[in-house]
Amino acid sequence: MSVDRRQVLKTLSAGMLAGGTLVALPRSAFAQKKLRIGVVVKVLGINYFDVARDGAQEAAKQLGGIEIIYTGPTAATVEQQISVINTLIAQKVDALIISANDASALVPTTKKAMQRGITVLSFDSGVAPEGRVMHVNAPHDDLVGANDVRMISKTLGGQGEVAILSATSQATNQNIWIEKMKEEWKKPDYANLKLVGVVYGDDAADKSYREAQGLMKAHPNLRGIISPTAVGIIGACRAVTDAGMVGKIFVTGHGLPSEMKPNILSGVSQTFQLWNPADLGYAAVTFAAGIARGTLKGTAGTTASIGRLGDMTIEADNDTYLKDLLVFDKSNIEQYAKQF
């Protein structure tokens, strides 16, 4: 935090309100401060994050005076991500918004950033709470994870062998969703739906494809693959299609409608889900700018008005969640494929 900002905060502190509602501070001398915000994704070249970038730029344009630096590693490794973050710290950005490849391993680096006055948020895949101010998340994890199981169960009529093809083994959000899937799986409704394995494609197209091939080889009676990653679900669909198993093995999980449209139309996937990634970028930049400018606090128990997304409440561990979980099938794929 700069000396000037400390002085302004000190001046304003007497007028700030405490309590459960987010305090909208007076538009101060730094409220319109020009900001440079680094948006660091898990790995570059993924359309999901490109859509999130578009939402970040939409928020920056609406708020004014914000430069978005969209960047990330070329491979989904924590080592490369730390290097990218260190570069942004050296460039003295005002805020960082990070989708973590490893929740805990990034903490020393993000703590260093905060010690240098940089506002640090995570989005999509969280940094551990001690390493960021707040986290902007997809819809609630229990809802997302449970619905993954419900979708494949509905497709398979509640019986058959199913495997999970995830991203990296350290990815925060993927691991939470898998945990929530397993909780849902314990219900009597899924007594005849057997989880036979979890593999990781590292958010790489070729590895995801090979892992899906490996699942089919290892489990000859496989009926379904859940892939809660936009890269993995495409790899799984391609592997099933190339193996001539459309109609015998079904794929569901998380994907972009524009990318998944051919797979819905071919029948390799009957249904999948997602939220609008643009909303993640939009919300994260709005929160980051407000906190960096001192107009938002970003603490648990508070609520903020986030532009076109309306009010968003910050919950335990300073996490906030998008509201809309979107489910796609043949009835709506054409409509959403035009949007993202």
Side-chain angles (χ1 to χ4, degrees):
M1 181 184 298
S2 68
V3 173
D4 287 346
R5 190 174 171 208
R6 287 196 190 96
Q7 290 174 337
V8 177
L9 279 173
K10 184 176 181 181
T11 302
L12 292 174
S13 61
M16 291 171 61
L17 300 176
T21 301
L22 184 70
V23 179
L25 300 179
R27 297 186 71 80
S28 62
F30 60 78
Q32 290 304 319
K33 174 189 174 185
K34 291 187 176 179
L35 299 176
R36 297 166 68 230
I37 299 178
V39 177
V40 182
V41 298
K42 287 181 185 175
V43 60
L44 292 173
I46 295 180
N47 288 341
Y48 173 88
F49 286 120
D50 290 346
V51 177
R53 173 205 58 200
D54 294 345
Q57 292 174 335
E58 176 192 358
K61 184 177 181 180
Q62 287 182 4
L63 295 168
I66 297 174
E67 176 189 355
I68 298 295
I69 303 171
Y70 176 72
T71 184
T74 55
T77 68
V78 68
E79 293 80 9
Q80 283 198 23
Q81 200 166 36
I82 288 172
S83 177
V84 169
I85 294 169
N86 278 328
T87 298
L88 291 169
I89 293 172
Q91 293 175 0
K92 299 180 179 179
V93 296
D94 299 286
L96 286 167
I97 300 169
I98 302 164
S99 178
N101 280 321
D102 189 307
S104 299
L106 292 182
V107 169
T109 306
T110 56
K111 277 188 173 180
K112 179 176 69 176
M114 291 191 288
Q115 288 165 358
R116 297 185 183 185
I118 297 172
T119 299
V120 177
L121 280 72
S122 52
F123 82 125
D124 180 63
S125 183
V127 175
E130 62 269 26
R132 42 78 171 173
V133 176
M134 63 173 292
H135 175 59
V136 180
N137 212 338
H140 272 283
D141 299 312
D142 49 356
L143 174 63
V144 173
N147 203 48
D148 279 320
V149 179
R150 292 174 191 147
M151 288 189 298
I152 198 66
S153 180
K154 183 178 180 181
T155 296
L156 300 181
Q159 57 184 358
E161 294 185 358
V162 177
I164 297 172
L165 169 58
S166 186
T168 66
S169 60
Q170 299 85 21
T172 316
N173 52 355
Q174 304 283 323
N175 289 336
I176 292 174
W177 292 327
I178 291 172
E179 177 186 333
K180 297 299 181 182
M181 288 182 214
K182 291 179 177 177
E183 289 179 8
E184 177 72 10
W185 228 304
K186 294 177 182 176
K187 295 182 178 178
D189 294 350
Y190 312 109
N192 296 319
L193 198 70
K194 183 180 179 183
L195 175 61
V196 295
V198 180
V199 297
Y200 301 90
D202 291 344
D203 263 345
D206 287 346
K207 185 175 182 187
S208 297
Y209 178 78
R210 293 196 303 272
E211 291 291 344
Q213 287 181 314
L215 285 172
M216 289 187 286
K217 183 177 181 180
H219 306 285
N221 296 320
L222 191 70
R223 295 283 326 282
I225 299 175
I226 301 173
S227 186
T229 155
V231 176
I233 195 171
I234 293 296
C237 286
R238 186 161 64 93
V240 171
T241 302
D242 289 352
M245 298 299 285
V246 176
K248 298 177 181 176
I249 299 176
F250 295 89
V251 179
T252 190
H254 308 171
L256 289 172
S258 57
E259 294 181 340
M260 281 293 290
K261 176 182 168 181
N263 297 306
I264 287 288
L265 297 180
S266 75
V268 65
S269 177
Q270 291 193 353
T271 182
F272 67 100
Q273 64 178 348
L274 199 67
W275 44 92
N276 190 340
D279 291 349
L280 272 181
Y282 181 93
V285 166
T286 305
F287 273 113
I291 294 169
R293 285 171 168 167
T295 57
L296 298 179
K297 291 174 67 177
T299 53
T302 63
T303 298
S305 179
I306 304 300
R308 63 174 171 78
L309 299 181
D311 289 347
M312 294 182 69
T313 298
I314 303 172
E315 304 180 17
D317 289 332
N318 289 7
D319 285 4
T320 192
Y321 296 84
L322 297 182
K323 299 171 186 173
D324 296 328
L325 181 63
L326 304 174
V327 177
F328 312 101
D329 55 25
K330 281 188 176 178
S331 72
N332 60 14
I333 193 66
E334 296 282 0
Q335 169 195 346
Y336 282 105
K338 296 175 183 175
Q339 298 180 27
F340 60 95

